[in-house]
Amino acid sequence: NAGVMQNPRHLVRRRGQEARLRCSPMKGHSHVYWYRQLPEEGLKFMVYLQKENIIDESGMPKERFSAEFPKEGPSILRIQQVVRGDSAAYFCASSSTSGGGTDTQYFGPGTRLTVL
Amino acid sequence: TQLLEQSPQFLSIQEGENLTVYCNSSSVFSSLQWYRQEPGEGPVLLVTVVTGGEVKKLKRLTFQFGDARKDSSLHITAAQPGDTGLYLCASLNNAGNMLTFGGGTRLMVKP
């Protein structure tokens, strides 16, 4: 079984450009989570999505960041007009169910974004 | 959101030594998870502890959940270079959809 897949693994953008990060959940998983890991910091929750719905975006910056999980295709984390402070590793996780505190989130290998 | 503090932040030891890392909070956890993250990869779940006082073993790794469910520890016996990595503790919110991570302990085991 393929695990959570993320692409690209590395992404370099210049300030002001757009970054699109893709995440394909594990087969059979309909819940997707995005986390960000800034240099020398722990992972921070950004957003939780189910197919075609954003369930919790409490960790998303209010501006320039958006996420979607369409009916078909991967989940996309989009960062518009990137700034140097957006440089980080972005991880996607997926689970088969949610709630109850016992569902395992499986993490992808991450996309490392570098903003020049 | 619970604040999880991990200590030490960095640990460098020789192969064969034992070590313990800690995860503490002022709040009570409903459950706690330990992850290991290798450079360039995502976190991999090692264990979930749920019951106060619970002890779980995974080969040379022993995980303990405090009686009051406010703290947890990870003990590694006879560390090996393959144990090198970032060890993260995390708690799940009540809705079960958001993990809050500690800052991690970065372990290096020298041969």
Side-chain angles (χ1 to χ4, degrees):
Chain A
N1 283 334
V4 177
M5 299 177 68
Q6 291 188 248
N7 67 82
R9 293 292 305 272
H10 300 273
L11 183 61
V12 179
R13 285 287 179 266
R14 296 192 179 278
R15 281 179 297 170
Q17 291 184 321
E18 179 180 286
R20 280 185 180 239
L21 289 60
R22 295 175 191 79
C23 169
S24 296
M26 285 180 69
K27 187 176 180 181
H29 286 191
S30 58
H31 301 259
V32 166
Y33 316 80
W34 285 93
Y35 294 82
R36 178 166 66 174
Q37 188 173 36
L38 293 168
E40 305 305 321
E41 291 188 18
L43 284 86
K44 298 284 195 294
F45 170 82
M46 298 181 74
V47 62
Y48 160 47
L49 309 103
Q50 294 179 21
K51 284 285 187 182
E52 299 185 279
N53 286 303
I54 297 174
I55 308 302
D56 183 342
E57 56 181 347
S58 58
M60 285 272 274
K62 297 292 183 228
E63 298 178 348
R64 301 187 298 108
F65 286 73
S66 62
E68 63 177 14
F69 189 16
K71 188 177 180 181
E72 301 289 339
S75 175
I76 306 286
L77 179 66
R78 182 182 177 207
I79 312 173
Q80 295 178 290
Q81 298 175 327
V82 295
V83 300
R84 288 212 174 114
D86 297 332
S87 295
Y90 291 82
F91 291 95
C92 168
S94 72
S95 69
S96 58
T97 58
S98 185
T102 59
D103 303 306
T104 299
Q105 294 184 20
Y106 295 88
F107 283 81
T111 293
R112 276 140 192 88
L113 173 65
T114 301
V115 180
L116 302 177
Chain B
T1 303
Q2 293 181 328
L3 185 63
L4 301 177
E5 295 187 0
Q6 290 190 244
S7 61
Q9 283 186 288
F10 301 96
L11 190 56
S12 180
I13 61 172
Q14 292 295 134
E15 183 176 2
E17 292 184 10
N18 301 332
L19 67 115
T20 303
V21 299
Y22 301 92
C23 176
N24 296 288
S25 173
S26 57
S27 304
V28 175
F29 303 122
S30 57
S31 66
L32 191 108
Q33 301 178 345
W34 282 93
Y35 290 80
R36 179 164 158 259
Q37 184 180 16
E38 296 190 38
E41 297 297 330
V44 175
L45 180 66
L46 297 174
V47 76
T48 300
V49 286
V50 178
T51 306
E54 184 176 3
V55 176
K56 282 191 174 179
K57 293 196 173 187
L58 188 65
K59 297 183 181 178
R60 293 177 294 101
L61 278 59
T62 302
F63 303 85
Q64 188 158 5
F65 202 13
D67 291 339
R69 292 187 291 136
K70 289 185 176 183
D71 57 273
S72 182
S73 64
L74 159 58
H75 181 81
I76 302 178
T77 304
Q80 299 176 0
D83 296 327
T84 293
L86 178 66
Y87 289 84
L88 297 158
C89 65
S91 67
L92 206 55
N93 66 343
N94 290 335
N97 59 19
M98 181 197 307
L99 284 167
T100 298
F101 284 87
T105 292
R106 199 166 294 276
L107 172 66
M108 177 175 289
V109 182
K110 300 175 186 175

